[in-house]
Amino acid sequence: PKWQFNAGYSTPVSDNLHLKVELNYLKEGSYTEFIAGAMFRYSLTGMLNQEETAITQLSIGGGLLVRANDAVIPVVQVSYNHLDFNISYDVNTSKLRTASQGQGGIELGISYRAFTHNTNSTLNSVRCPRF
């Protein structure tokens, strides 16, 4: 079996700045992975003229994650409406650094955050009835 635990907490630091702390633990067979870190996100939405653009939310951010006993992972993120675009780079800190000749790995990611806000969402099909 594969076990995974995720936790995160986001809090405003100022009107336009948010701090997000994340934890991720994964165990499958003898393999385990623990990643923790924090990211700051700065909202640019207030600088937009809402009447002239279809952009309802725009922010940029960055932070640092650590994969226990393996890597440090700087991350840069741009969020546009309900999409997040990420770029990260694993900087090896373990014995793997020798095998990779000191080169980590670059990752690109796209996330869609509004699935449950969609009117066609299957969210309502899994809700418990209220009495």
Side-chain angles (χ1 to χ4, degrees), residues 2 8-9 17 44 55 60 70 89 102 119 123:
K2 178 180 178 180
Y9 179 73
L17 188 65
L44 302 170
I55 300 172
I60 58 171
D70 185 45
Y89 185 79
T119 56
L123 178 66

Side-chain angles (χ1 to χ4, degrees), residues 73-95:
I73 310 163
V75 180
V76 175
Q77 180 181 66
V78 174
S79 296
Y80 167 76
N81 291 344
H82 300 294
L83 291 171
D84 293 336
F85 301 92
N86 302 301
I87 186 168
S88 64
Y89 185 79
D90 288 15
V91 179
N92 296 328
T93 59
S94 67
K95 292 184 275 185

Side-chain angles (χ1 to χ4, degrees), residues 85-120:
F85 301 92
N86 302 301
I87 186 168
S88 64
Y89 185 79
D90 288 15
V91 179
N92 296 328
T93 59
S94 67
K95 292 184 275 185
L96 188 60
R97 181 177 52 218
T98 305
S100 67
Q101 299 175 350
Q103 296 182 9
I106 193 166
E107 293 184 11
L108 303 173
I110 300 174
S111 301
Y112 179 68
R113 291 181 279 109
F115 175 73
T116 58
H117 298 291
N118 188 332
T119 56
N120 295 325

Side-chain angles (χ1 to χ4, degrees), residues 8-66:
Y9 179 73
S10 179
T11 185
V13 176
S14 68
D15 287 343
N16 293 327
L17 188 65
H18 278 74
L19 171 65
K20 183 176 181 182
V21 179
E22 300 178 356
L23 300 170
N24 185 28
Y25 175 79
L26 175 113
K27 179 167 180 53
E28 185 172 9
S30 62
Y31 177 77
T32 60
E33 177 180 84
F34 180 74
I35 299 176
M39 291 183 58
F40 284 99
R41 185 182 75 231
Y42 186 79
S43 176
L44 302 170
T45 304
M47 298 176 187
L48 301 172
N49 184 340
Q50 297 295 322
E51 296 173 4
E52 294 181 9
T53 180
I55 300 172
T56 57
Q57 295 177 340
L58 181 64
S59 65
I60 58 171
L64 192 67
L65 304 171
V66 174

